[in-house]
Amino acid sequence: MTDPEPQRIDVHQHALPDFYREALTRAAVTQAGGRALPDWTPAAALNTMDLLNVRTAVLSVSTPGTSFLDAPDEATALAQRLNDHLATVATEHPGRFGYFATLPMPDPSASTAEAVRALDTLGAHGVILLANNQGTYLGTPGQEPLWQALDERGAVVFVHPAELPAPPVDGVPSFAADFLLDTTRAAYLLVRNGIIRRHPRIKFILGHAGGFLPYASHRMAVTLANDTRRSPLDVLDDFRTFYFDTALSSSPAALPTLLAFARPERILFGSDWPFAPARAGQYFTSGLDSNVGTSMLTAVNRTNAEALFPRLATAAPRPFHVPPAPVRLRQAARRTAARLIFELLQPGTN
C-alpha cells in the first residue's frame, strides 16, 4: 500500500527566519516554552510536510512573537519585517504555504494598523495572537479597535499560547502544561467579556485542541453563568464557536474529548512543526489516522480548513514532487514505525 499524495492542510506550523532568530539571540532569548529554538527553512518545512502528507501549511511565528521587545516601534518594525518575509515565502511556493500575520501586541493601536496592512495589502490568511502578551490577555479591556478591524474583515485569528505571566515551576516545561492553561485563560476571557458575541465574524482558532477548554468546558460554563447571569448553555454555545487544531492532541485520551465537545466542522489539522519534531508529528498524526472515521478524517485533514480559507481550496498547488524511490521507502518506513510506536505506547485495559 502506498501513501497518498499530500492532502492535509496544517494550520499550526511555525516559521523561524534567520533574522528573527538573530533578534531573539540579541535579546538573550534562546528557547520558547522550555524548548530550544529549532532550525527552520522553507525547504526543511516542505520535507516534513511531505512526510506528514501535508499539502499546505499556514505558517506563523510562535511565542514570544514581538513581545520580547520593550520599545513599541521596534516591535512594530519586526512584525512588519516578519509579515513581509512570510508573504514572500508564500508567493515563492504557491499552494504550499499561507501565513498568519504577526502583530506587535500588547499595543492595540499598532496591532490594528499592522493587521489592516497584512490582511488588505499583503494577503495574509489571518493573524496570530498570543494568548497573553507581557501579561495582558486577549479579551481584556482596551483591545476593541483591533477586534473591530478584524470583525469587519471576517478575519481568522490563530490564538497561540505564550509563557504564563508567573514564575516558572522547576521541572515543568511551559510547553508541557502551562501553554494549555494560557490558551484556556484567553478563551475564557474572550467569552466572559463578550468579544465572541460582539464580533461574530472573527473566526478564532485555539491551538493544541483549546488547551483545557474541551475537558473543563462545563465547569467553566457554570462558573461564567454565575458570574455573568447567563445560561450555562449559552456559555457553552460561545465556547463551541471556537475552532480547534489537533497539534500534539490526537491521543486516545485527548482526541475523544475534543470530538465530543467541538463542532465537527471546526476541528483542523495541526502539527506544531518545527517546535514539535517530525517524529512527534508522526506519532500524533498516526493517532488521528487510527481513531477517526474516513469522512471525519477528511474533514479534519482538509475540507474544514478549505471552508475556513477558501483560497486554499481554489488555489491549486504546483504538481506534487515525487521523491526518488529510496526516499519514498524511507518515508514509508518512518510512517509504519510511527504507527507501531503509537500502538505500543497506548495504555492497556487492565
Side-chain angles (χ1 to χ4, degrees):
M1 180 177 177
T2 59
D3 287 295
E5 290 188 358
Q7 58 173 330
R8 307 183 205 269
I9 295 175
D10 186 351
V11 304
H12 191 149
Q13 187 175 135
H14 295 302
L16 197 73
D18 288 341
F19 68 85
Y20 181 63
R21 179 191 295 275
E22 292 165 2
L24 292 172
T25 300
R26 288 194 297 272
V29 178
T30 60
Q31 62 180 21
R35 294 190 67 89
L37 299 177
D39 294 328
W40 177 86
T41 63
L46 290 169
N47 287 337
T48 302
M49 289 160 64
D50 291 345
L51 179 66
L52 299 179
N53 287 327
V54 171
R55 185 185 79 193
T56 305
V58 186
L59 300 173
S60 59
V61 173
S62 185
T63 183
T66 64
S67 65
F68 67 97
L69 296 171
D70 292 327
D73 58 336
E74 292 182 7
T76 298
L78 181 56
Q80 291 173 343
R81 188 177 180 188
L82 285 166
N83 296 334
D84 291 341
H85 179 78
L86 292 186
T88 299
V89 171
T91 299
E92 291 176 345
H93 301 86
R96 299 309 304 272
F97 293 119
Y99 75 101
F100 292 119
T102 298
L103 304 183
M105 290 289 278
D107 185 334
S109 178
S111 294
T112 301
E114 183 57 16
V116 170
R117 186 184 81 96
L119 294 169
D120 293 0
T121 304
L122 299 182
H125 289 74
V127 303
I128 177 172
L129 292 173
L130 300 181
N132 89 85
N133 294 267
Q134 299 177 1
T136 299
Y137 272 91
L138 300 182
T140 53
Q143 300 165 356
E144 192 64 22
L146 176 60
W147 302 132
Q148 182 65 39
L150 295 172
D151 185 74
E152 288 172 356
R153 289 159 176 79
V156 178
V157 175
F158 176 37
V159 178
H160 190 280
E163 302 279 356
L164 290 178
V169 176
D170 288 343
V172 183
S174 296
F175 74 89
D178 295 351
F179 271 15
L180 304 177
L181 175 58
D182 201 49
T183 301
T184 306
R185 285 177 169 180
Y188 188 97
L189 288 172
L190 288 169
V191 170
R192 181 193 183 279
N193 294 334
I195 309 303
I196 298 297
R197 296 224 163 189
R198 288 199 304 277
H199 302 289
R201 297 186 67 234
I202 300 176
K203 280 82 74 174
F204 289 95
I205 302 173
L206 302 181
H208 303 293
F212 301 128
L213 175 57
Y215 178 82
S217 55
H218 287 254
R219 174 175 179 161
M220 293 193 297
V222 170
T223 303
L224 273 174
N226 290 333
D227 184 24
T228 63
R229 299 185 180 277
R230 295 175 55 200
S231 161
L233 292 178
D234 286 344
V235 176
L236 286 169
D237 281 343
D238 284 355
F239 282 143
R240 295 182 77 233
T241 65
F242 290 115
Y243 290 78
F244 303 84
D245 76 49
T246 64
L248 303 181
S249 303
S250 300
S251 71
L255 188 58
T257 303
L258 177 62
L259 293 172
F261 176 75
R263 293 174 179 169
E265 71 276 10
R266 301 203 171 198
I267 304 175
L268 309 164
F269 177 80
S271 71
D272 202 15
W273 189 84
F275 285 93
R279 61 182 180 273
Q282 287 182 286
Y283 176 84
F284 286 101
T285 298
S286 295
L288 182 66
D289 292 343
S290 302
N291 292 285
V292 176
T294 302
S295 61
M296 185 63 189
L297 184 61
T298 299
V300 173
N301 279 339
R302 184 177 67 253
T303 56
N304 286 348
E306 288 177 336
L308 190 59
F309 304 101
R311 280 184 286 163
L312 298 185
T314 58
R318 291 175 177 173
F320 175 57
H321 169 68
V322 179
V327 175
R328 295 201 306 273
L329 288 173
R330 287 197 298 271
Q331 289 180 342
R334 291 176 67 182
R335 293 187 189 108
T336 300
R339 285 191 288 267
L340 291 173
I341 291 171
F342 182 86
E343 293 172 2
L344 288 171
L345 290 180
Q346 303 321 306
T349 56
N350 293 332

